[in-house]
Amino acid sequence: MSSGDPDYLANANRLLRIAPYHQWIGVELLEVSKGRAVLRLPFRPEFVGNPLIPAYHGGITAALVDLAGGVVLFSELGIPTPTIDMRVDYLRPAKAGKALFVEATLRMLGRTVAHVDVVVKDEDGKEVATGTAVYTVKDRDNPDAGNFPIG
Amino acid sequence: MSSGDPDYLANANRLLRIAPYHQWIGVELLEVSKGRAVLRLPFRPEFVGNPLIPAYHGGITAALVDLAGGVVLFSELGIPTPTIDMRVDYLRPAKAGKALFVEATLRMLGRTVAHVDVVVKDEDGKEVATGTAVYTVKDRDNPDAGNFPIG
Amino acid sequence: MSSGDPDYLANANRLLRIAPYHQWIGVELLEVSKGRAVLRLPFRPEFVGNPLIPAYHGGITAALVDLAGGVVLFSELGIPTPTIDMRVDYLRPAKAGKALFVEATLRMLGRTVAHVDVVVKDEDGKEVATGTAVYTVKDRDNPDAGNFPIG
Amino acid sequence: MSSGDPDYLANANRLLRIAPYHQWIGVELLEVSKGRAVLRLPFRPEFVGNPLIPAYHGGITAALVDLAGGVVLFSELGIPTPTIDMRVDYLRPAKAGKALFVEATLRMLGRTVAHVDVVVKDEDGKEVATGTAVYTVKDRDNPDAGNFPIG
């Protein structure tokens, strides 16, 4: 279960793409280890929200926060974890035409919920957004709940 | 500037679609009046996050919160208003295959920032998410800032 | 279990004051009915954050959001419900010297968590803050969990 | 303007206590340097929310998030910065009877708003809460705005 294992990463990316939205957005998992995941989002023209800057739409950034947190928890628990709520802070415009990088860190894994922190950076390493999301993990001890895709 | 004027609505929808992301997501403005906007999001298969329920991805819901708040403020101020931060509460799965409806209400319009509350409902009127977003409005009195598209 | 029953209200206020912080802050429950609670906070000089306006400290307003949500859930479930996370939006300064009024509304009661919306107003009915808080309710069906004070 | 200067710290603590709420809660500033502040909150019995654990009330933790962010910004800008909104994540109960430690880090200082991240730990170094708060800083270039206390 570490980023050093290419088979694990390939399989995780395959699971990630089971969600049609993940397939459309085109996000790929670069690294995943205990409590941490790094993803990359290649640019698509449909991501543009403000065509004058031009910059990514805030809904794309928000989707990255949400899904990156889910990926970290799936790597820990092997089950999908519904998002309870999420906050996104928009620090600066995410310039169109370039990829984004997303790093999610598990902050607290409880019996009922988990808190995940996320940072979104541009290709130059500048932070464009941060976020915190909370997920339901109460089925983590239920063996029947392990066969769901990342979502 | 009210929903009773079809020309105003048609023009507002045209402006809304200047953003490539808005064009892709396919959202349409149904009503807009002082401090309130109602939008409709027709379903697309790419919106699905969890294919087992199946349900919308949380990133789509989050995008609706963000953009609906921007639409309310654009109808008030005539300028684009960058999102500062946003919270989304996921109340129940947004079932795939059906449209979503979004209602945004301006809670407080200050000199520097504005707070907007948003409710997302499914076709049956059930609330699937709520959200609050805060936007920068400090250029509201700057006449040169009025020629930007909704974003 | 309605605000029309003075004995119920008196008992609920007694339970509310078991928490030393609630006793210090001096909040009182005015109404409680299914999914809704109204509370009043008399002013104390120690509440002042900015002595120049002068206005309440944001930590007092935040405490009102947190505790009002807990009160609504306690009236529904009869158990204490730990707060998972909370957002507070500060709309305008809460002027010192006057009481605050807090209205909490249960937005969604799930099996695991509950979402509560809160509005804080001043004596003139002006909104000074809004908030959303999420609480763990997973022990709601556990009969042994019912003998805790509001917290 | 660094924690190595005892006069600077003493003066900053004096300014901090101008706010009656800060005086009551008893928080003290331990370190402050560019974009970072560390504070300590000695325990008071009035802080207890749940007397059965017993644990701090969430409103105390929330106040720490709010005020720590304000302290970091005051050390940068020399002006009070009204809080726009705040999120608090409650990670585990903050045990009564012991002090809390608060570390605030400036995430982004813009022309209009600033985002600050906060971590609250107990005496054993365990994280009890995290938070993010956003503040108005638009008067940062206004020389007449510099004579206000921290708030």
Side-chain angles (χ1 to χ4, degrees):
Chain A
M1 283 218 188
S2 82
S3 59
D5 180 348
D7 285 350
Y8 178 77
L9 254 188
N11 188 46
N13 270 296
R14 194 179 52 75
L15 284 171
L16 185 65
R17 300 293 182 94
I18 289 176
Y21 182 74
H22 294 168
Q23 195 163 358
W24 174 76
I25 202 172
V27 69
E28 53 181 326
L29 186 57
L30 299 185
E31 296 178 36
V32 61
S33 53
K34 204 160 177 51
R36 181 173 169 275
V38 180
L39 299 100
R40 179 177 181 272
L41 183 75
F43 176 71
R44 283 185 67 144
E46 294 92 335
F47 293 166
V48 174
N50 186 327
L52 294 181
I53 301 185
Y56 279 72
H57 193 278
I60 297 296
T61 321
L64 292 176
V65 171
D66 182 20
L67 72 85
V71 165
V72 163
L73 290 170
F74 189 83
S75 77
E76 289 283 310
L77 306 175
I79 55 168
T81 49
T83 312
I84 295 169
D85 68 72
M86 170 170 65
R87 176 189 174 98
V88 184
D89 285 79
Y90 295 96
L91 305 182
R92 51 176 62 82
K95 297 287 176 60
K98 299 189 169 181
L100 292 179
F101 291 84
V102 193
E103 180 171 348
T105 308
L106 179 56
R107 194 91 194 199
M108 206 282 295
L109 176 57
R111 278 172 304 151
T112 309
V113 304
H115 301 247
V116 181
D117 287 336
V118 180
V119 178
V120 181
K121 296 180 181 177
D122 64 17
E123 285 184 4
D124 302 323
K126 279 190 186 162
E127 296 183 354
V128 300
T130 54
T132 300
V134 174
Y135 302 84
T136 303
V137 298
K138 70 164 186 170
D139 291 327
R140 58 186 286 202
D141 300 322
N142 178 359
D144 295 333
N147 58 343
F148 289 71
I150 293 172
Chain B
M1 285 217 187
S2 81
S3 59
D5 181 348
D7 287 347
Y8 179 78
L9 254 188
N11 189 46
N13 270 296
R14 193 179 53 76
L15 284 172
L16 184 66
R17 299 295 182 97
I18 290 175
Y21 182 75
H22 294 168
Q23 194 162 359
W24 174 76
I25 203 172
V27 68
E28 53 181 325
L29 186 57
L30 300 184
E31 297 178 36
V32 61
S33 52
K34 204 161 177 49
R36 182 173 170 272
V38 181
L39 300 100
R40 180 178 181 273
L41 183 75
F43 176 72
R44 284 184 66 144
E46 295 91 335
F47 293 165
V48 174
N50 186 327
L52 294 180
I53 298 183
Y56 279 71
H57 194 278
I60 296 296
T61 322
L64 293 175
V65 171
D66 183 21
L67 72 85
V71 165
V72 165
L73 289 170
F74 189 83
S75 77
E76 289 283 311
L77 306 175
I79 55 167
T81 50
T83 314
I84 296 169
D85 67 73
M86 168 171 67
R87 177 189 172 97
V88 184
D89 286 79
Y90 295 97
L91 305 182
R92 52 176 63 81
K95 298 288 175 61
K98 299 190 169 180
L100 292 179
F101 292 84
V102 193
E103 180 171 350
T105 309
L106 179 55
R107 194 92 196 197
M108 202 281 297
L109 176 57
R111 280 171 302 149
T112 308
V113 304
H115 300 247
V116 181
D117 288 335
V118 179
V119 178
V120 181
K121 296 180 181 178
D122 64 18
E123 286 185 4
D124 302 324
K126 279 190 187 163
E127 296 183 354
V128 301
T130 56
T132 300
V134 175
Y135 303 83
T136 302
V137 297
K138 69 164 183 168
D139 291 327
R140 58 187 287 202
D141 299 324
N142 178 359
D144 295 332
N147 57 343
F148 289 71
I150 292 173
Chain C
M1 284 218 188
S2 82
S3 59
D5 181 348
D7 286 347
Y8 179 78
L9 254 189
N11 189 44
N13 270 298
R14 195 179 50 79
L15 284 171
L16 184 67
R17 299 294 183 95
I18 290 175
Y21 182 75
H22 294 168
Q23 195 163 358
W24 175 75
I25 203 172
V27 68
E28 52 182 325
L29 186 58
L30 298 185
E31 296 178 37
V32 61
S33 53
K34 206 160 177 49
R36 182 174 170 275
V38 181
L39 300 100
R40 179 176 181 275
L41 182 75
F43 176 71
R44 283 184 65 143
E46 295 92 334
F47 293 165
V48 174
N50 186 327
L52 294 181
I53 300 182
Y56 279 72
H57 194 278
I60 297 296
T61 321
L64 292 176
V65 171
D66 182 22
L67 73 85
V71 164
V72 164
L73 290 169
F74 189 83
S75 78
E76 288 284 310
L77 306 174
I79 55 168
T81 50
T83 313
I84 294 169
D85 67 72
M86 168 171 66
R87 176 188 174 97
V88 183
D89 286 78
Y90 295 96
L91 306 182
R92 55 176 59 82
K95 298 288 176 61
K98 297 188 170 182
L100 293 179
F101 291 84
V102 193
E103 179 171 349
T105 309
L106 179 56
R107 195 91 197 197
M108 204 281 296
L109 176 58
R111 278 171 304 148
T112 309
V113 304
H115 300 247
V116 181
D117 287 336
V118 179
V119 179
V120 181
K121 296 181 182 176
D122 64 17
E123 284 184 6
D124 301 324
K126 280 191 185 163
E127 296 182 355
V128 299
T130 56
T132 301
V134 175
Y135 302 83
T136 304
V137 298
K138 71 165 185 170
D139 291 327
R140 58 188 283 203
D141 300 323
N142 178 358
D144 295 332
N147 57 344
F148 288 71
I150 292 173
Chain D
M1 283 217 187
S2 81
S3 59
D5 181 347
D7 286 349
Y8 179 77
L9 254 189
N11 188 46
N13 269 297
R14 194 179 52 78
L15 284 171
L16 185 66
R17 299 296 182 91
I18 290 175
Y21 183 74
H22 294 168
Q23 194 164 358
W24 175 75
I25 202 172
V27 69
E28 51 181 326
L29 186 57
L30 300 185
E31 298 177 36
V32 62
S33 53
K34 207 163 176 46
R36 181 173 169 272
V38 181
L39 300 100
R40 178 176 182 273
L41 184 75
F43 176 73
R44 283 184 65 146
E46 293 92 336
F47 293 166
V48 174
N50 186 326
L52 295 180
I53 300 184
Y56 279 73
H57 194 278
I60 296 295
T61 321
L64 292 176
V65 170
D66 182 20
L67 71 87
V71 164
V72 163
L73 290 169
F74 188 84
S75 77
E76 289 284 311
L77 306 174
I79 55 168
T81 50
T83 312
I84 295 169
D85 68 71
M86 169 172 66
R87 174 187 176 99
V88 183
D89 286 78
Y90 294 96
L91 305 182
R92 52 176 61 83
K95 298 288 177 60
K98 298 188 170 183
L100 292 179
F101 291 84
V102 193
E103 181 172 347
T105 308
L106 179 56
R107 195 91 195 196
M108 206 280 295
L109 175 58
R111 278 172 304 149
T112 309
V113 304
H115 300 247
V116 181
D117 288 336
V118 179
V119 178
V120 181
K121 296 181 181 176
D122 63 18
E123 285 184 3
D124 302 324
K126 281 190 185 163
E127 295 182 355
V128 300
T130 55
T132 300
V134 175
Y135 303 83
T136 303
V137 298
K138 71 163 183 169
D139 291 328
R140 56 187 284 204
D141 299 322
N142 179 357
D144 296 333
N147 56 344
F148 289 71
I150 294 173

